[in-house]
Amino acid sequence: MRFIITLFQWIVGLLFIFSGLVKTIDPIGFSIKLEEYFSPSVFDLPFLMNLALPLAIFFVIFEVVLGVLLILGIYKRFTLWSLLILIIFFSFLTFYSAYFNKVTDCGCFGDAIKLTPWESFFKDIILLVMIVVLWFGQKFIKPLFVKSFATYITLAVFLICAYIAFHGIYHLPLIDFRPYAVGKNIPDGMKSAEELGLNPPRIETQYFLKNKLNNQKITLSQDKYINDKSYWESGTPWEIEKTDSKVVEKGYEPPIHDFVIDCGDNGDMTYHYLAKPKLVLIVTSVPFKASAQGLNRVSQFAESLKSKDYEILSVASDEARIANIPNCFMDPTTLKTMIRSNPGIILIKHGTVVGKYNWHDIPTESEIQAAFN
């Protein structure tokens, strides 16, 4: 029994540390995920929308601290109660996401590892079983160090996590797991499975039908529904109650599938701008929420580059006035994924991201030249 408890202690502890740490690196990303849960289409909790970032910071650091406390073997009752409450809460969220197909990525491991809703749910159930076993076998959990030294270790971990989260918010994440990281080529990330000679996912649609005459209900595959006109021809007693699509065979999906630069009357200018050798993008994901100081600083930055040999473009989810430079439109979710700064700056060379900057860290002329060389 002691061996099993020690094994579960380390597995659960390390998983919570890893899960919390990858989200601590990018707390804004996790706050965006919380906003999805708080949105009207999911739990409809608008009063929590403005608290998404503080809650994200609390949860991600708390996860890491709980993992550390469990491995160190101190404050056992507090740690195990907290882990139990958290995992029950997470299990509910992941089950809700999977069953109702509401939030297709729980963000359990940030952008580092993507899990389907059902994979996330079963992962949480396994963790729940382990934590329950730990609860009943907590007498076998022994401290690694004296309590005072272990407490100092925990405090140090907390302070390190606080710094990492601060850096991710006021600068940029220390590690960028997204497909727009420095060094990534955007056109390559947009290529389809067919273009790469790979198999795409196979998706099956099911039709849930009801007979208006006798209230009989049946479920049909897409092929069977389409091939049998008795279910859909004029005068049929069958009516569609709902449809549901599910992936029956995993395949390659491009990591970038929503990158479109819409320039109004000029139309889709995506590949026009991605072909530029020195493209400076001023990104404003949500203009009305953007920092006034940030907008002023990036405007001054853009103004200073007008006489230089750069193509400067503002991309935003709405009209954004940045130093009278051209403004095109992009999906706000895409812009938030591209850079965790509102506004922010991205340098792109022939479609490859060569530099990313928070508005707090406006690049100098020499930094820009170095990035493009």
Side-chain angles (χ1 to χ4, degrees):
M1 186 65 178
R2 184 186 298 275
F3 172 77
I4 293 175
I5 294 299
T6 302
L7 179 64
F8 284 6
Q9 177 186 356
W10 279 88
I11 291 175
V12 173
L14 289 175
L15 272 175
F16 268 78
I17 291 171
F18 176 74
S19 173
L21 191 57
V22 294
K23 295 196 290 285
T24 301
I25 290 170
D26 183 16
I28 292 178
F30 188 56
S31 74
I32 293 171
K33 190 58 60 179
L34 290 181
E35 287 176 357
E36 284 189 59
Y37 282 109
F38 300 153
S39 67
S41 62
V42 186
F43 293 123
D44 194 16
L45 300 170
F47 64 95
L48 289 177
M49 294 293 279
N50 292 331
L51 296 175
L53 184 56
L55 286 172
I57 295 169
F58 169 76
F59 277 118
V60 298
I61 295 179
F62 193 45
E63 272 191 78
V64 177
V65 169
L66 286 178
V68 170
L69 287 175
L70 181 62
I71 288 176
L72 293 176
I74 59 173
Y75 304 108
K76 290 188 292 186
R77 288 184 63 84
F78 167 79
T79 301
L80 290 170
W81 267 118
S82 299
L83 287 170
L84 193 58
I85 292 170
L86 270 185
I87 201 61
I88 291 173
F89 176 64
F90 289 156
S91 298
F92 163 74
L93 287 184
T94 52
F95 174 78
Y96 185 91
S97 298
Y99 188 79
F100 294 102
N101 197 32
K102 288 292 186 179
V103 181
T104 55
D105 174 17
C106 72
C108 302
F109 296 111
D111 289 300
I113 299 175
K114 297 291 187 180
L115 298 178
T116 66
W118 282 117
E119 287 172 344
S120 299
F121 172 67
F122 290 124
K123 178 264 297 178
D124 287 341
I125 292 301
I126 292 171
L127 282 174
L128 176 60
V129 171
M130 288 184 178
I131 292 169
V132 169
V133 171
L134 288 172
W135 173 259
F136 285 105
Q138 59 184 282
K139 66 180 181 180
F140 296 109
I141 299 176
K142 303 300 180 183
L144 280 183
F145 309 104
V146 295
K147 191 173 183 179
S148 58
F149 181 62
T151 302
Y152 286 131
I153 292 175
T154 306
L155 179 60
V157 169
F158 170 79
L159 293 175
I160 291 170
C161 287
Y163 169 76
I164 293 172
F166 170 83
H167 195 283
I169 295 169
Y170 287 95
H171 300 286
L172 289 176
L174 290 170
I175 303 174
D176 192 345
F177 297 107
R178 287 156 289 146
Y180 300 97
V182 173
K184 297 285 187 179
N185 183 273
I186 296 174
D188 285 348
M190 296 166 65
K191 289 181 179 178
S192 65
E194 290 78 8
E195 289 178 287
L196 297 172
L198 302 172
N199 294 323
R202 188 164 66 86
I203 300 174
E204 183 180 276
T205 301
Q206 289 185 316
Y207 287 77
F208 297 82
L209 306 180
K210 180 180 179 180
N211 191 305
K212 292 181 288 186
L213 300 180
N214 56 20
N215 291 325
Q216 179 186 0
K217 295 184 179 183
I218 59 174
T219 303
L220 300 176
S221 68
Q222 179 176 313
D223 290 341
K224 188 169 184 179
Y225 174 79
I226 293 174
N227 293 331
D228 191 340
K229 64 180 182 180
S230 66
Y231 292 114
W232 49 263
E233 67 180 347
S234 178
T236 181
W238 295 99
E239 61 180 5
I240 298 174
E241 285 196 313
K242 66 175 182 175
T243 60
D244 185 30
S245 297
K246 63 179 181 179
V247 177
V248 294
E249 185 178 314
K250 287 186 176 181
Y252 176 81
E253 292 185 86
I256 299 175
H257 50 81
D258 48 10
F259 187 94
V260 178
I261 301 177
D262 178 7
C263 295
D265 294 339
N266 292 325
D268 184 349
M269 300 286 285
T270 304
Y271 287 98
H272 168 78
Y273 282 109
L274 287 178
K276 297 293 181 180
K278 295 182 179 181
L279 176 64
V280 178
L281 277 186
I282 309 295
V283 179
T284 314
S285 55
V286 187
F288 76 90
K289 289 185 177 180
S291 161
Q293 183 185 0
L295 290 172
N296 182 55
R297 291 195 64 185
V298 296
S299 292
Q300 293 176 0
F301 166 75
E303 192 70 43
S304 70
L305 294 183
K306 280 186 176 181
S307 60
K308 305 296 193 313
D309 185 26
Y310 304 117
E311 186 82 28
I312 312 169
L313 177 68
S314 166
V315 287
S317 59
D318 203 346
E319 192 67 34
R321 297 293 181 185
I322 307 292
N324 293 319
I325 61 175
N327 182 76
C328 294
F329 302 97
M330 292 187 71
D331 179 79
T333 302
T334 303
L335 295 173
K336 291 176 184 177
T337 304
M338 288 167 62
I339 187 168
R340 303 299 198 209
S341 179
N342 184 34
I345 300 164
I346 301 179
L347 308 181
I348 299 176
K349 179 180 180 180
H350 295 301
T352 298
V353 178
V354 294
K356 296 173 74 171
Y357 306 91
N358 189 293
W359 66 263
H360 290 102
D361 309 303
I362 300 293
T364 63
E365 176 68 18
S366 60
E367 287 176 321
I368 297 173
Q369 291 178 357
F372 281 124
N373 289 337

